[in-house]
Amino acid sequence: MKRPSPSYLRDGKNLLLLALALLFVVGTTACGEDSISSGDPAAFSLNPNPISFQQIALGEESAETIVIGNSGDGPLRITSIEILQSGSASIDAFYPGNKWPEGTLEVAPNSEYDFQLIYRPEQPITYGGILRLVTNDTSVGNQGTVDVNIRTQGLNPEIFSPPTISFPRVPAGQEEWKLAQVANIGQAPLLIDDIVMGGNSEFRVSFPGARDGDGVLPPPEQDTTDFPSELAPDESFEMRVWFNPATDDPTTGEITIYSNDPSRGEFRINLNGNSGSACIAVTDEDGIDFNIASLDRATNRTITISNCSPGSALNVSEISLNDDGGGTFSLRPESLPELPITLLPRESSNFVLTYTPTEVSTHEGELRILSDDPAKSVLEIPLMGQGSDSVCPIAVATATIQGSNRYQTELAASPLETIQLNGSDSSDPDGTNITYEWSVISRPVGSLSQLQPSTANAQPTLWLDIAGTYEVELVVYDELGMASCESAIVRINAVPEDDVHIQLTWTIPNVPNPQANMRGTDLDLHYLSSTGTWGSMDGSSIWYNYKVGRVGTQLAGASLDIDDLYGVAPENINHNDPGQGLAYSVGVHYYNANGNGASLATVRYYLSQQLVYEYRDKPLTQAKQFWYVGGIVWNTPPTVFVRDEILSIPTLR
């Protein structure tokens, strides 16, 4: 067993320790203020926090300067700096940079130390991490441990292409193309899954091969339907976009590119055709054939010039004959419009072309029309005819309101009435059978009404879809093909009978020829008293309410004539005895697009049988928009007010 130390030894050891402690206190006191401050705390700071790197290309390098600050009164000691992983992100792209601390770093009071962290990505993956520092400042974390997040913007592909490709004017039946470039402006490979055409079959796309050493593109006939499936950063390819319109009407389509772009996986390029310029259409512009005509008799044809643009005016500066066929072709001076003439969108103008053969022979000539249509600024239309000693047939045309027996060459009717035409009184002096050719040579802008059942019927009908003036021409032919020397023309004035007649028509750029029971667009006309709210069911407005399958409400004295679901007929609201001094508002609700895109709405006000206001082709770009057109105040005389605002009407959605 071990014996305990003697007490005097134990007491001496304690005395020694006490003496040493006293010496330490005396020593520290003798050191003055410097020795006292060495025990003061440090105050750690780091900037930036968090540490963020911008997106850079693979293989490139970015350096971020990191500043450690000490705002305390004592020295700051950093005993450890390391880069640690955070979650699933990789830290393999981070490297120590300039002045990276080796061993323990000491930062004096009120001083800073800066060093660099390097970011150099080699793969298109997610990078990130934590910069961990261990300090003697225990106030900043667990035993002085500080964790600073390292963030990077992901290395992503980014698709770039023009958002819209427009063909201002391409004549029907012709085809043109434009080049578009698809590029990857991101920092990772762009993977293209598919390129899909949509909206309209009049557009298509093809892909040319690479340009040669002189930068020349291969000819279109060498194009393929194959596109690159992968684009490296800063790489691109070209595609050829084609437009081959079936009509002169405006149309739209789209190209959708499906890729791994994280923000635009379905990238759409909008396509516009025939929507940015004037557009001319002329009767039989491929060639006007008078067929067989009687000698020394003037055979007439009414020629119609139309502006087929929905939004641009057409200026016609010249109508003349380049070749009059030896004097057989001529223009009736009194029929010519005063030139230059400006035709508003969808407007038309007529003139009369005459063929007067003097011998049994074939004649040729040429009609010349100049306009500002960029695609057909000079129209040179061939003229043909053959003289004959036969006698031309005689065209006789009359009309009446269906249900009446009073046939006339000029008559008044109301909108939405049906006109019965009659050409059966036509005859041929030679006694042969005749055939009929009817055509509507003049109509109100916005009318889509067609002759039924056909233009070759002896007694067709014409439904007056909107208010305005209609002119219908009849040409008859004998068995030899000789046309009537004079055409017969019926003139119909469709005049509203009510005090107030509000008319809505619309066109659909993506559906040039809408038909009943086909998927057009559905717009609704609304008419509102000053005490009501849009879409109300309290007797203050009138509109068609699909929920109850009837007119939405019965505003006293007002009626909705028709609810058109397809864009082939107008919507009319009539109102009798509106009440002196009362105001009424007019609106248009784009109820359903049926996938057809924009509609162009036209509204007209007829007050006391007179057209007093018209707003043409208001673009309504998407379903559920509500256009507050304006309205009327029934004073003496009535006045019109204009709003032209797009409103949000939740109750109509």
Side-chain angles (χ1 to χ4, degrees), residues 498-563:
D498 301 275
D499 293 333
V500 177
H501 177 84
I502 309 296
Q503 175 182 284
L504 166 67
T505 62
W506 65 94
T507 57
I508 313 166
N510 283 338
V511 187
N513 300 299
Q515 300 177 26
N517 301 314
M518 301 295 288
R519 287 176 62 85
T521 60
D522 183 7
L523 275 63
D524 289 326
L525 182 60
H526 286 242
Y527 185 66
L528 176 70
S529 75
S530 58
T531 60
T533 55
W534 296 111
S536 66
M537 300 291 289
D538 58 3
S540 63
S541 64
I542 188 165
W543 52 290
Y544 189 83
N545 181 8
Y546 79 99
K547 294 180 180 178
V548 297
R550 61 172 176 80
V551 172
T553 183
Q554 296 296 330
L555 178 62
S559 63
L560 175 66
D561 290 335
I562 190 170
D563 176 53

Side-chain angles (χ1 to χ4, degrees), residues 150-184:
I150 304 173
R151 301 174 180 173
T152 66
Q153 291 187 1
L155 294 178
N156 296 316
E158 184 178 354
I159 191 170
F160 177 81
S161 188
T164 302
I165 299 173
S166 296
F167 295 84
R169 181 74 176 99
V170 179
Q174 296 186 25
E175 187 172 47
E176 292 185 7
W177 56 266
K178 289 189 174 184
L179 278 179
Q181 188 179 70
V182 178
N184 178 13

Side-chain angles (χ1 to χ4, degrees), residues 202-230:
E202 295 177 336
F203 296 98
R204 65 183 181 91
V205 66
S206 64
F207 302 94
R211 295 175 181 264
D212 63 19
D214 296 325
V216 177
L217 201 67
E221 55 267 23
Q222 295 182 14
D223 286 5
T224 71
T225 58
D226 298 327
F227 54 85
S229 60
E230 182 174 336

Side-chain angles (χ1 to χ4, degrees), residues 502-505 523-528 534 584-590 601-605 613-618 620 625-632 640-647 649:
I502 309 296
Q503 175 182 284
L504 166 67
T505 62
L523 275 63
D524 289 326
L525 182 60
H526 286 242
Y527 185 66
L528 176 70
W534 296 111
Y584 300 89
S585 295
V586 177
V588 176
H589 183 220
Y590 194 172
T602 295
V603 171
R604 298 181 179 91
Y605 303 168
Y613 178 74
E614 176 183 61
Y615 194 121
R616 288 193 188 180
D617 296 322
K618 171 69 174 182
L620 299 178
Q625 282 183 325
F626 189 91
W627 173 32
Y628 181 12
V629 184
I632 63 168
V640 170
F641 63 90
V642 179
R643 287 292 184 269
D644 189 24
E645 300 174 7
I646 299 296
L647 306 180
I649 312 291

Side-chain angles (χ1 to χ4, degrees), residues 167-334:
F167 295 84
R169 181 74 176 99
V170 179
Q174 296 186 25
E175 187 172 47
E176 292 185 7
W177 56 266
K178 289 189 174 184
L179 278 179
Q181 188 179 70
V182 178
N184 178 13
I185 60 173
Q187 306 298 335
L190 178 71
L191 305 179
I192 299 176
D193 299 321
D194 204 358
I195 298 178
V196 178
M197 300 296 299
N200 201 306
S201 60
E202 295 177 336
F203 296 98
R204 65 183 181 91
V205 66
S206 64
F207 302 94
R211 295 175 181 264
D212 63 19
D214 296 325
V216 177
L217 201 67
E221 55 267 23
Q222 295 182 14
D223 286 5
T224 71
T225 58
D226 298 327
F227 54 85
S229 60
E230 182 174 336
L231 289 180
D234 297 324
E235 193 175 16
S236 64
F237 67 89
E238 291 175 303
M239 61 182 179
R240 211 183 306 258
V241 181
W242 300 79
F243 179 46
N244 183 7
T247 70
D248 290 312
D249 292 311
T251 187
T252 61
E254 65 181 21
I255 300 173
T256 304
I257 303 176
Y258 296 89
S259 74
N260 65 331
D261 183 326
S263 60
R264 294 183 292 182
E266 296 183 12
F267 181 83
R268 286 181 173 81
I269 302 173
N270 295 316
L271 306 176
N272 296 323
N274 285 343
S275 58
S277 67
C279 168
I280 190 171
V282 180
T283 303
D284 300 325
E285 62 187 57
D286 292 331
I288 300 171
D289 191 352
F290 284 84
N291 296 308
I292 301 172
S294 296
L295 297 180
D296 300 317
R297 289 286 305 272
T299 299
N300 300 309
R301 290 289 179 275
T302 301
I303 308 301
T304 301
I305 299 176
S306 300
N307 179 4
C308 43
S309 169
S312 300
L314 172 70
N315 297 298
V316 180
S317 56
E318 182 180 329
I319 303 172
S320 62
L321 291 172
N322 267 351
D323 183 353
D324 64 3
T328 59
F329 299 104
S330 63
L331 298 167
R332 280 197 173 179
E334 71 277 8

